[in-house]
Amino acid sequence: MFSKVRTIYKIAPYFRVLFLWMLVISYLISCSSLDLRPLSSVGTASQEQKAIENTLSIPSLIHDTSRIRSVQLFRGTPAGVPVITLGSSETLTLNFDEIAEQVNMFSVSLSHHNADWTESNLIPAFFMGGFMEDVIQGGTPNMLGYPSFFSYTYRFPNRDFSVRASGNYQLHIHDYASREILFTLPFIVQEDRGSLSVRVEDFFDFRATPKHQIFANYVHPEFIRMPQSDLKFVFTQNQFWGRSVTATEADVSTPGQITRHQTREQSFPARYEFRTLWMDDIQTTTRDIIEVRPDARPPLVRLQFDVVDLDINPRFSRSYRFGEPSTSRNARYADVEFNLQRPEWIRRNAEIFVTGSFVNWQIQEEFRMEYIHDEDAFRSTGLIKEGRYDYKYVLIENNTVDVFPLSAFFADTRQFYQVIIYYHDLQQGYDRVLQFINFEHR
């Protein structure tokens, strides 16, 4: 009798484990139709966008390009880097258009991120002040033209929606009714601690390509005990956050400060060419616009054929790297046709895209170029608002973006650089931004 009891006791745990597994499977099946991702990840970009590496921007900026256009996030002027100082009165301005027949409402949320832009473990109550979300409403209707759209402006931090910690952030804009995320934009909150100075050395690599090598010196606060391990220096060119570089070389020989610089292999290209699209009025032809069809819906604007290395001098002294879409209520959108004469070293079946400030430097399917055999050229047409923009042609090979085969080697253009000093706070468990600087160098 006792032996039978012991046998039953040994078998019982297996039934309990089986029963628990059945509960887990039932729960997963019941939740399979629900979207259990956090709010900040709902509505992510396509798998194709995720597969592309070495992009200029952080992936998944604008998720619904059929609705959302002309997105800007800046401090002060459109060229202003979206960086504010913690505890200051500085604000960021968000502008965007929605292609729609009627006004809409949107909700705003934030997420906090590590130095590498992965999401941090901080809870919203730690890094946010006021409400966890805000609302955007009251769009301004366009007065004429097709397609119909509404323009929205939103400024933050404000009394109801603010931040309480420094670091990398992402601003998420959702459709108010469906909760679908429409677009995400990065910005940075810094503490303005310590003193940061930079210098740039110019040199030529073994291919005779001019390069910029950044050196940054940081006089750090007293609470930094081990600067070589606690501080991270991140260098970025032209706000292309997707291509930021972490400086690896360090000098701590002077007490109270640390100097870091890139290796020569990490250095930035000095002659990074940008072409300019100047389209203030789609009714008017310019040296770049060869034909306008205002009766088309939407109007069609055909650009001159771009030729690699033909125009080696910048046409405009001012940069439109961050875009200046028209803010007029009479502004219109047009289908803009880009034409690129095929260089002899580029295959006819090459995967080429147009990217620029009109798409926040993303790789978007709308601007994929098609080879036109009769003209031995590549062509792409996309919807763009009247305004002024910089753009580039990029080549994608093995899911990697290459900006150089289609750039003018001798182009002499200004480069904008951003240097960020991160401090990994072990007690708080996140990457703080102690200092930031933005400068230009030619």
Side-chain angles (χ1 to χ4, degrees):
M1 177 178 178
F2 292 105
S3 62
K4 290 182 180 180
V5 172
R6 283 195 297 270
T7 302
I8 294 174
Y9 181 78
K10 291 178 180 178
I11 295 175
Y14 294 98
F15 282 101
R16 287 200 298 269
V17 172
L18 179 62
F19 177 71
L20 289 174
W21 272 108
M22 291 175 65
L23 286 176
V24 171
I25 294 172
S26 299
Y27 173 76
L28 292 175
I29 293 174
S30 66
C31 296
S32 61
S33 61
L34 300 176
D35 193 344
L36 299 178
R37 294 170 293 171
L39 187 62
S40 62
S41 64
V42 175
T44 55
S46 65
Q47 291 298 321
E48 180 179 5
Q49 175 73 15
K50 289 182 178 180
I52 297 176
E53 298 179 355
N54 201 32
T55 56
L56 301 176
S57 62
I58 297 174
S60 307
L61 283 176
I62 303 174
H63 306 282
D64 193 342
T65 56
S66 64
R67 291 176 58 182
I68 304 300
R69 298 278 172 167
S70 304
V71 178
Q72 294 178 291
L73 181 64
F74 56 86
R75 181 171 69 87
T77 65
V81 186
V83 176
I84 57 176
T85 303
L86 185 67
S88 72
S89 60
E90 298 169 349
T91 61
L92 298 178
T93 299
L94 169 68
N95 292 332
F96 68 95
D97 293 344
E98 183 191 24
I99 308 297
E101 297 292 333
Q102 60 185 11
V103 70
N104 204 347
M105 289 179 61
F106 307 89
S107 59
V108 185
S109 66
L110 298 178
S111 57
H112 189 274
H113 293 255
N114 301 313
D116 62 358
W117 291 100
T118 58
E119 192 162 358
S120 71
N121 294 322
L122 296 183
I123 60 174
F126 182 89
F127 62 81
M128 293 194 63
F131 297 104
M132 297 296 103
E133 291 189 2
D134 205 359
V135 176
I136 301 175
Q137 55 187 338
T140 302
N142 174 250
M143 300 303 295
L144 51 87
Y146 175 88
S148 173
F149 65 91
F150 287 79
S151 299
Y152 297 85
T153 296
Y154 174 74
R155 292 180 177 86
F156 74 100
N158 52 55
R159 181 182 59 184
D160 299 323
F161 193 72
S162 59
V163 295
R164 301 170 55 185
S166 68
N168 291 351
Y169 282 83
Q170 289 202 24
L171 176 74
H172 309 283
I173 307 300
H174 314 259
D175 182 277
Y176 187 82
S178 67
R179 309 297 297 162
E180 174 192 5
I181 189 168
L182 300 176
F183 62 93
T184 296
L185 294 174
F187 69 96
I188 296 171
V189 178
Q190 62 122 342
E191 299 181 18
D192 193 20
R193 290 176 176 263
S195 176
L196 177 61
S197 60
V198 297
R199 63 181 176 90
V200 178
E201 287 192 2
D202 300 82
F203 72 96
F204 290 86
D205 66 9
F206 67 93
R207 293 187 295 265
T209 302
K211 292 292 190 75
H212 287 164
Q213 185 179 20
I214 299 177
F215 293 74
N217 176 263
Y218 181 55
V219 180
H220 54 77
E222 292 184 358
F223 64 81
I224 303 295
R225 301 301 182 188
M226 296 183 291
Q228 193 162 356
S229 59
D230 292 344
L231 298 177
K232 177 184 289 188
F233 289 43
V234 175
F235 303 154
T236 306
Q237 186 180 44
N238 299 312
Q239 295 187 44
F240 292 154
W241 309 114
R243 291 191 166 190
S244 296
V245 171
T246 299
T248 56
E249 306 303 304
D251 178 5
V252 291
S253 58
T254 304
Q257 57 185 277
I258 176 174
T259 299
R260 281 193 179 274
H261 67 272
Q262 306 162 287
T263 63
R264 293 210 160 188
E265 290 74 18
Q266 293 177 313
S267 297
F268 295 109
R271 293 174 181 172
Y272 205 89
E273 180 207 25
F274 294 91
R275 301 176 185 271
T276 299
L277 170 60
W278 197 332
M279 194 173 66
D280 290 342
D281 184 355
I282 62 174
Q283 299 279 16
T284 305
T285 58
T286 65
R287 61 176 291 181
D288 292 319
I289 298 175
I290 59 175
E291 183 183 4
V292 177
R293 298 179 186 174
D295 297 333
R297 290 174 60 87
L300 176 65
V301 174
R302 298 190 64 215
L303 303 183
Q304 292 275 10
F305 279 72
D306 286 322
V307 179
V308 176
D309 266 335
L310 178 62
D311 188 358
I312 64 175
N313 295 311
R315 300 181 183 180
F316 308 103
S317 59
R318 183 176 175 183
S319 169
Y320 299 100
R321 209 152 305 172
F322 314 106
E324 290 188 11
S326 173
T327 57
S328 170
R329 296 186 66 179
N330 295 323
R332 291 159 293 182
Y333 277 86
D335 275 335
V336 179
E337 180 186 283
F338 294 87
N339 296 285
L340 175 66
Q341 200 69 48
R342 184 183 70 88
E344 60 182 10
W345 60 86
I346 297 296
R347 305 188 317 273
R348 291 175 175 80
N349 63 343
E351 193 174 5
I352 298 174
F353 286 79
V354 184
T355 187
S357 50
F358 43 81
V359 289
N360 299 87
W361 298 101
Q362 290 186 104
I363 304 300
Q364 291 189 356
E365 188 64 28
E366 177 183 3
F367 289 91
R368 177 190 292 271
M369 305 200 79
E370 177 186 1
Y371 178 70
I372 309 300
H373 186 272
D374 293 342
E375 297 176 334
D376 194 25
F378 295 93
R379 177 170 297 157
S380 175
T381 303
L383 192 66
I384 300 175
K385 192 179 187 180
E386 288 176 327
R388 300 178 183 183
Y389 310 89
D390 281 357
Y391 69 95
K392 289 184 70 66
Y393 297 104
V394 300
L395 177 68
I396 296 183
E397 292 186 311
N398 300 319
N399 290 329
T400 301
V401 176
D402 191 345
V403 301
F404 298 110
L406 299 172
S407 295
F409 178 77
F410 296 104
D412 184 16
T413 55
R414 291 179 297 166
Q415 305 301 317
F416 295 86
Y417 292 103
Q418 297 77 43
V419 176
I420 310 171
I421 308 298
Y422 292 95
Y423 165 58
H424 184 67
D425 192 324
L426 291 175
Q427 291 184 339
Q428 302 290 349
Y430 73 101
D431 291 331
R432 295 164 55 181
V433 176
L434 299 185
Q435 193 55 264
F436 170 87
I437 193 171
N438 177 65
F439 66 98
E440 66 176 89
H441 185 75
R442 170 171 273 171

